[in-house]
Amino acid sequence: MSAPRPAANPPNVQSYCHLFYISDSQQAQIERLQALIVQHQLPIVLNTERLHDKLTQKRRQQLSQTSSVPVLVLDQKDKLSWLSDGLSVAPEWDKLQRRVVSAGRKSELLLQAAKVTADSRVIDATAGFGHDSLILASTGAQVTMLEQQPLMALLLLVEQQRMSAQRNWQKLMSRLHIINTDALSYFATLPADMTGATKAVDVVYLDPMFPEDSYQDSKTGKGAKVGKHMQALHQLASPPTLEEERQLLQHAQAIVGDSDKQGRVVVKRPQLASALANQPPNESWHNEAVRFDGYFV
């Protein structure tokens, strides 16, 4: 999940990141990281440093608190993670294997709302850690993942590269297309009229940032707990303004309106939150924690 997020830096300004690693044998992996940054033109400068002590939880906390720039860690299992307030967070797509294998409209509210098929083209305009993109792509759909934050885009690209090395994940990985950009800028690059085009977009999925208390009932204060991935994203981004929400929804609706099928914009919200841009959806699907609002075009 991401916003449209306010960029931490103006366009084309380099973001500095500190990468800690634990073994000289990881140099080849660091070179692959640098190659991804160059290949995808990510505005990231990696300052690397080898750690000579154990990467304990206390040490992770210390590293994240003393650095003035984002901190990445390459641990003893060669897993890349981002340290956010001492918590190590990473996409960890392999932990979703059971959900991905069994994903279907009966088990996944997102798929009930999106109604994607193997020939669908989907834009996940706020990719975040990419978990919902995996569910969407499990149907056979092609999914373009937009992520504005360069750090998050790098984590996604590294995870895609890691999972592509596993044979049973290769087809799914080939259906994911990761781009470091914000949604509105990307929407502006699409043709004004895509009716009948082979690349017409059938579904735009939006999972904007919400205020941290959005999962709580305003009267009782009770609600679902926010996981560590969500906590981490709040370190990078702020929720969109009402005007940003309006622009995002309006542009998304315009894009799916050019599909030769019924287009859909699907918006993920906390169950108790107001509708995006205060615009009532055509239909909603929900459980105790989250709600998927569908806007049909």
Side-chain angles (χ1 to χ4, degrees), residues 19 21 23-36 74 78 161:
L19 172 64
Y21 63 101
S23 171
D24 288 336
S25 65
Q26 295 174 319
Q27 286 297 331
Q29 193 168 350
I30 293 172
E31 290 176 6
R32 288 195 294 272
L33 275 177
Q34 299 282 18
L36 279 175
L74 201 53
D78 292 336
Q161 188 179 72

Side-chain angles (χ1 to χ4, degrees), residues 64-85:
S64 63
Q65 289 179 344
T66 56
S67 179
S68 60
V69 298
V71 174
L72 296 173
V73 169
L74 201 53
D75 66 17
Q76 62 273 17
K77 295 182 180 180
D78 292 336
K79 186 180 82 171
L80 184 72
S81 59
W82 164 40
L83 285 186
S84 174
D85 282 345

Side-chain angles (χ1 to χ4, degrees), residues 118-129:
D119 62 349
S120 296
R121 299 193 68 88
V122 181
I123 295 177
D124 181 348
T126 47
F129 286 97

Side-chain angles (χ1 to χ4, degrees), residues 17-22 26 29-30 33 44 46-47 49 51 55-57 59-61 63-64 69-95 129 150-159 162 228-229 232 236:
C17 230
H18 211 128
L19 172 64
F20 292 98
Y21 63 101
I22 63 170
Q26 295 174 319
Q29 193 168 350
I30 293 172
L33 275 177
I44 293 176
L46 279 185
N47 295 317
E49 180 179 343
L51 290 174
L55 194 59
T56 61
Q57 180 56 41
R59 187 72 171 108
R60 292 173 191 265
Q61 190 78 36
L63 290 173
S64 63
V69 298
V71 174
L72 296 173
V73 169
L74 201 53
D75 66 17
Q76 62 273 17
K77 295 182 180 180
D78 292 336
K79 186 180 82 171
L80 184 72
S81 59
W82 164 40
L83 285 186
S84 174
D85 282 345
L87 292 174
S88 294
V89 289
E92 299 179 306
W93 288 349
D94 48 339
K95 291 187 176 181
F129 286 97
L151 174 66
M152 290 301 304
L154 178 61
L155 287 173
L156 291 172
L157 289 164
V158 169
E159 187 71 356
R162 182 177 78 93
K228 71 174 184 178
H229 288 91
L236 282 182

Side-chain angles (χ1 to χ4, degrees), residues 10-266:
N12 303 318
V13 173
Q14 299 282 13
S15 300
Y16 287 86
C17 230
H18 211 128
L19 172 64
F20 292 98
Y21 63 101
I22 63 170
S23 171
D24 288 336
S25 65
Q26 295 174 319
Q27 286 297 331
Q29 193 168 350
I30 293 172
E31 290 176 6
R32 288 195 294 272
L33 275 177
Q34 299 282 18
L36 279 175
I37 290 172
V38 173
Q39 178 186 350
H40 294 273
Q41 300 181 333
L42 301 179
I44 293 176
V45 177
L46 279 185
N47 295 317
T48 61
E49 180 179 343
R50 182 181 171 183
L51 290 174
H52 295 279
D53 51 349
K54 289 186 177 181
L55 194 59
T56 61
Q57 180 56 41
K58 183 177 181 180
R59 187 72 171 108
R60 292 173 191 265
Q61 190 78 36
Q62 183 185 44
L63 290 173
S64 63
Q65 289 179 344
T66 56
S67 179
S68 60
V69 298
V71 174
L72 296 173
V73 169
L74 201 53
D75 66 17
Q76 62 273 17
K77 295 182 180 180
D78 292 336
K79 186 180 82 171
L80 184 72
S81 59
W82 164 40
L83 285 186
S84 174
D85 282 345
L87 292 174
S88 294
V89 289
E92 299 179 306
W93 288 349
D94 48 339
K95 291 187 176 181
L96 276 74
Q97 181 166 352
R98 182 173 295 181
R99 275 187 67 193
V100 169
V101 169
S102 62
R105 293 184 186 178
K106 289 185 178 180
S107 61
E108 296 289 344
L109 284 177
L110 172 56
L111 297 184
Q112 292 177 31
K115 288 184 169 53
V116 292
T117 61
D119 62 349
S120 296
R121 299 193 68 88
V122 181
I123 295 177
D124 181 348
T126 47
F129 286 97
H131 296 169
D132 288 335
S133 289
L134 286 187
I135 300 301
L136 290 164
S138 71
T139 63
Q142 297 289 324
V143 180
T144 299
M145 302 167 62
L146 309 182
E147 177 48 54
Q148 178 171 340
Q149 297 294 336
L151 174 66
M152 290 301 304
L154 178 61
L155 287 173
L156 291 172
L157 289 164
V158 169
E159 187 71 356
Q160 184 183 38
Q161 188 179 72
R162 182 177 78 93
M163 300 305 293
S164 293
Q166 302 182 37
R167 179 175 295 181
N168 60 325
W169 283 83
Q170 288 173 352
K171 287 185 178 179
L172 178 58
M173 292 300 102
S174 70
R175 295 196 290 270
L176 300 176
H177 313 281
I178 301 165
I179 304 175
N180 173 217
T181 186
D182 69 278
L184 292 178
S185 296
Y186 181 78
F187 291 164
T189 68
L190 298 178
D193 182 4
M194 295 191 296
T195 304
T198 58
K199 295 189 177 182
V201 177
D202 303 298
V203 177
V204 173
Y205 176 57
L206 304 173
D207 184 7
M209 288 292 296
F210 337 109
E212 292 187 73
D213 60 355
S214 294
Y215 285 97
Q216 297 177 343
D217 187 299
S218 58
K219 295 180 180 179
T220 65
K222 297 180 180 180
K225 292 183 178 180
V226 177
K228 71 174 184 178
H229 288 91
M230 183 74 72
Q231 293 177 40
L233 288 174
H234 277 284
Q235 303 297 316
L236 282 182
S238 300
T241 65
L242 185 63
E243 176 59 21
E244 288 170 335
E245 289 186 354
R246 186 192 65 77
Q247 289 185 37
L248 195 60
L249 182 58
Q250 184 179 64
H251 283 77
Q253 288 175 311
I255 288 168
V256 298
D258 282 334
S259 173
D260 56 3
K261 298 179 284 188
Q262 183 189 61
R264 288 175 178 243
V265 178
V266 177

